Amino acid sequence: MRLPWVFDRITRFYGFSVGWSLRLAAIVLVLYVGLVGLTYVGVTRVPTGFIPEQDKGYLLVNVQLPDSSSLARTIEVVDKVEKIAHQIEGVEHTVSIPGQSFVLNAVSSNFGSMFVILEPFHGRHDQGLSADAIAEKLRGRLYAEVQEAEVAVFGAPPVDGLGNAGGFKLMIKDIGDAGLDVLQGQADNLAEQANQQPGLVGVINTFSADAPQLYVDVNRTKCKMMGVPLSDVFNTLQFYLGGYYVNDFNQFGRTWQVNVQAEAPYRVTVEGVKQLKVRNSAGDMIPLGTIADVRDSNGPVLLTRYNSRPAAAINGAWLPGTSSGRVIQTMEALATQALPPSMSYEWTELTYMQILAGSTAIFAFIGAVVLVFLVLAAQY
């Protein structure tokens, strides 16, 4: 029964306000222009963003030990990281994968990844149990307690398919053929400077140009003289050192894989590799040391080319309260100042999409103002 009375009062108040505005049209117009101006200043001055970081119920931890660290050593560090994660409130369980980096999309004995699965959303209403808050607590614990490896914590990617983790990725390119050692040095320097900037956290350069390796120089002349096919030499190295998938078999209601690989004690030293044997055409077993020279060497574990140039990927994240636009400005200023002319940089993944979008927000605002005007004009 009171609804017509309330509606009449609102209608009279609205009519009075419109009439007052029409009598003071000049003042209202000045206020309107002022509001539009303040909106423009806000759009142009406030740090920009694109797609905000989202709480998707999990975090991604990247573990990187010194170059050529054994898988057993990596497993120990990953287990330690896993125990620390289980002590953080809001963490339900973890899934660890030693020997593989999902952030780098690479496989190596000194890499490790761990998915930190958070408790369901209905049990994390407190602000201190958000994904960002848990990630901050986990970073603090890992930084203080894990000294054996470089550990970085990332959120989930805001858009599935654009990157394997949240944060940003900046590609440092060697456009002047300065060499891989120079590329690593410049990327390390840039990552170190970025970690000193407020708002940035966990900025890492994962590229290494001089990881310890073993170089096998096969003497093709000796192979020909001794009747050893080159394909058998390479297959022997593959079987014993890298492992080889043979087939599957069924037992206990499950399907099992058969993989062949030498025991660890027989493939960890140069002398052990030289003692591996390959069969020649006469059926004799020939040690690899007879037909190949195995020596220590250095080289990159993973070599990435971005737009046809050797490149190093710099991954990082930012703290809550820091916009992605501010991160782009900070990293571009650092890269412009720190990188020599022989190096350049390019954004990739979601940050690249943000740069492509540009300042389209101002056009969206103008379109919204025009739309409101047209709707009001159509009504009155």
Side-chain angles (χ1 to χ4, degrees), residues 29-60:
L29 184 61
V30 170
L31 292 175
Y32 178 74
V33 172
L35 292 174
V36 172
L38 289 175
T39 303
Y40 173 78
V41 172
V43 171
T44 56
R45 297 291 181 85
V46 173
T48 59
F50 191 53
I51 300 178
E53 296 288 317
Q54 302 178 37
D55 187 342
K56 290 189 173 182
Y58 73 92
L59 302 172
L60 178 60

Side-chain angles (χ1 to χ4, degrees), residues 53-61 89-95 114-124 129-135 138 153-158 160:
E53 296 288 317
Q54 302 178 37
D55 187 342
K56 290 189 173 182
Y58 73 92
L59 302 172
L60 178 60
V61 179
E89 185 182 4
V91 174
E92 186 171 26
H93 63 89
T94 58
V95 178
M114 187 176 71
F115 290 91
V116 180
I117 312 301
L118 308 181
E119 293 179 355
F121 294 107
H122 60 76
R124 295 191 289 115
L129 296 179
S130 65
D132 289 336
I134 295 175
L138 186 57
V153 182
F154 299 93
D160 293 336

